[in-house]
DNA sequence: CCTGCTCGTTCACCCATGTTAACGCCAACC
DNA sequence: GGTTGGCGTTAACATGGGTGAACGAGCAGG
């Protein structure tokens, strides 16, 4: 509760660079505005809206999605605590997709000026913000690969692997256990399959002793095995720091 | 041949803002370095490389792709003349994917300093560069939707529609005719299907009198019809200027 | 003129995944 | 304590798209 507002964000950025205490303070105070709350399954921003500030997720999970005329819906991205949704998105005049709350979400909306002020703190912060949007783009590319080339079991495993690594980067995993507040229908919309087939694949991963999953409690029983099934290579997350993996940073 | 180097880039940016002659000149001279050439089907940059400058495509088509361990390959994005590949990508330490030349490609590599100098010209140029990377990200999201939700015929039609709009934005279309230097195998790798099935879908579009395509010569015989099949909505390209469509700009 | 290559085309077959529909569990609520 | 609704689960069946293989057109090179 009393964690500084940019706690998760800083945890993530730490994988790119090391900030001075002043920089950390500045980032924290920029993010210290009054938090907004989106109720579960409500939208933060809807397609067609004029973008306002940049949402920074403090607590809860959000997701971007796009709906086709005939109702089919694709989840385009998942956002965990510490994620900035679309820095500089306000340059575009209209949202071309929506952002919704998967769980209840606490967030702040950074203004364009706040972002600019942060960037003006110096090259380290400036680059860290760029790093943030570049890694977001890299994740989007990987989702493209996932949907285009992997089969159902691989796609699902890959998504689980990505979530594990991303949750670890913001300190939200306990060993190989974490909370995954997604329904199988959500997974279906994210991986381009039907809920029925997601269920089949979940069963398959369970029977191979790769995962345990009940309610929101998720555990990777064999992360290496899961990565193998998914052909998961975490390089695209760009979480290693100058070649050393973060673990080495203590 | 004697077109200014940033000709296509400026044509595209014009959809976002109107530059002063000074700004245009500055952009042109930044892009006026000696051009590099990549032979057809060679890579400009390979996965694992340290990013160098930002490639700006002057002539020819390039593509980003990623290969899985077992050889499956996904084309992640297509780049036409006037496209900047990955502004600020050099912040990341390693490329997580490759960029290859579909045709012979003439390009320049802008350095980080050149980009920074451009951005320092003023808010209009600065924002235009952001607009560029935001629309690139929007295209990537739409590809995610395409692969996740649309069936084979829709996917292929959607890609054709996108290419038509993007080629139009850089003045590379003559009515509804253009050059598409993609093989059916390329299309297969971009749309996540097999070459055989691409062929079936191409036949289908031909028999519905929606397209004509022979060699590199492509023509949309009925663009509205093609958009309908694809459920194509060009909003994500963000090519309209303050609400007016560019056509109104003359 | 033959050779070899790439690319488009077609066919027969089969499997991964979609579809539709039930059913059961559990928690929220009256 | 019954009712409702969301979610996971299962089953039977249908189909879109993958697979593997063959063939031909066009073109570059010797």
């Amino acid at each position: 509760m009393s964690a500084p507002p940019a706690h998760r964000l800083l945890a993530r950025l730490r994988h790119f660079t090391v900030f001075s205490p002043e920089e950390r303070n500045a980032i924290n105070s920029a993010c210290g505005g009054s938090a907004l709350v989106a109720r579960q399954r409500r939208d933060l921003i809807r397609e067609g809206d004029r973008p306002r500030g940049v949402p920074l997720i403090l607590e809860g999970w959000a997701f971007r999605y796009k709906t086709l005329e005939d109702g089919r819906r694709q989840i385009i991205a998942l956002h965990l605590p510490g994620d900035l949704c679309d820095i500089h998105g306000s340059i575009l005049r209209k949202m071309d997709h929506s952002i919704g709350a998967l769980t209840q979400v606490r967030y702040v909306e950074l203004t364009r000026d706040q972002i600019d002020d942060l960037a003006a703190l110096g090259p380290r912060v400036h680059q860290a913000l760029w790093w943030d949007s570049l890694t977001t783009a890299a994740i989007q590319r990987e989702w493209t690969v996932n949907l285009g080339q992997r089969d159902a079991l691989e796609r699902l495993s890959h998504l689980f692997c990505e979530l594990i690594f991303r949750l670890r980067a913001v300190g939200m995993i306990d060993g190989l256990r974490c909370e995954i507040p997604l329904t199988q229908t959500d997974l279906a919309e994210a991986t381009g399959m039907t809920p029925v087939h997601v269920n089949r694949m979940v069963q398959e991963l369970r029977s191979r002793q790769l995962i345990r999953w009940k309610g929101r409690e998720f555990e990777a029983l064999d992360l290496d095995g899961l990565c193998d099934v998914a052909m998961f290579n975490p390089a695209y997350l760009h979480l290693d720091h100058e070649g050393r993996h973060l673990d080495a940073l203590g």
Side-chain angles (χ1 to χ4, degrees), chain A:
Chain A
M1 302 298 109
S2 58
H7 175 49
R8 302 293 181 196
L9 173 62
L10 285 169
R12 200 157 52 78
L13 295 182
R14 201 165 62 101
H15 293 260
F16 171 68
T17 196
V18 178
F19 292 121
S20 68
E22 295 73 37
E23 288 167 331
R24 270 199 296 280
N25 288 337
I27 293 172
N28 265 317
S29 62
C31 304
S34 63
L36 304 172
V37 173
R39 307 267 301 280
Q40 186 170 27
R41 302 286 163 180
R42 296 296 171 75
D43 288 327
L44 283 72
I45 310 179
R46 205 161 293 145
E47 182 171 348
D49 288 356
R50 165 172 285 272
R52 297 184 306 270
V54 183
L56 165 67
I57 310 290
L58 302 177
E59 259 180 59
W61 289 32
F63 67 116
R64 292 168 191 269
Y65 66 94
K66 209 160 171 173
T67 308
L68 300 186
E69 297 162 15
D70 64 358
R72 280 178 278 173
R73 190 164 84 151
Q74 175 69 30
I75 293 182
I76 291 168
L78 293 172
H79 286 299
L80 316 182
D83 278 1
L84 283 165
C85 309
D86 234 355
I87 281 196
H88 285 82
S90 58
I91 285 176
L92 300 180
R93 285 147 188 134
K94 271 190 182 184
M95 289 292 294
D96 57 35
H97 63 283
S98 307
I99 303 183
L102 219 37
T103 62
Q104 172 163 304
V105 167
R106 278 206 330 126
Y107 66 108
V108 289
E109 278 192 354
L110 305 181
T111 64
R112 184 106 144 258
D113 289 342
Q114 284 176 310
I115 298 276
D116 289 346
D117 290 349
L118 283 180
L121 280 175
R124 210 158 30 207
V125 179
H126 186 89
Q127 285 184 24
L129 293 177
W130 268 110
W131 173 82
D132 178 86
S133 57
L134 291 168
T135 52
T136 302
I139 291 173
Q140 197 69 58
R141 286 193 295 267
E142 190 66 29
W143 281 44
T144 306
V145 175
N146 210 21
L147 288 165
Q149 295 300 325
R150 284 186 252 256
D151 69 21
L153 191 68
E154 294 165 344
R155 282 209 292 284
L156 192 64
S157 312
H158 193 278
L159 183 53
F160 284 138
C161 290
E162 179 181 303
L163 289 173
I164 289 168
F165 277 73
R166 288 174 61 191
L167 287 168
R168 188 151 75 185
V170 290
M172 293 183 68
I173 200 162
D174 166 23
L176 291 172
R177 278 200 193 143
C178 55
E179 271 201 14
I180 296 197
L182 295 164
T183 65
Q184 293 187 356
T185 302
D186 295 328
L187 284 176
E189 293 184 346
T191 54
M193 31 183 161
T194 55
V196 172
H197 203 57
V198 168
N199 187 268
R200 292 193 273 245
M201 298 300 102
V202 168
Q203 306 292 354
E204 176 70 22
L205 292 177
R206 282 189 185 125
S207 77
R208 294 196 195 178
Q209 308 270 21
L210 294 171
I211 69 169
R212 186 179 297 158
W213 189 27
K214 173 94 183 162
R216 295 183 158 199
E217 304 300 320
F218 181 94
E219 181 176 5
L221 298 174
D222 173 4
L223 182 55
D224 287 345
L226 197 61
C227 289
D228 285 349
V229 169
M231 284 181 292
F232 181 82
N233 176 347
Y236 72 97
L237 295 170
H238 297 276
L239 290 173
D240 48 342
H241 189 289
E242 293 285 348
R244 293 166 294 164
H245 193 273
L246 187 80
D247 296 336
L249 295 175

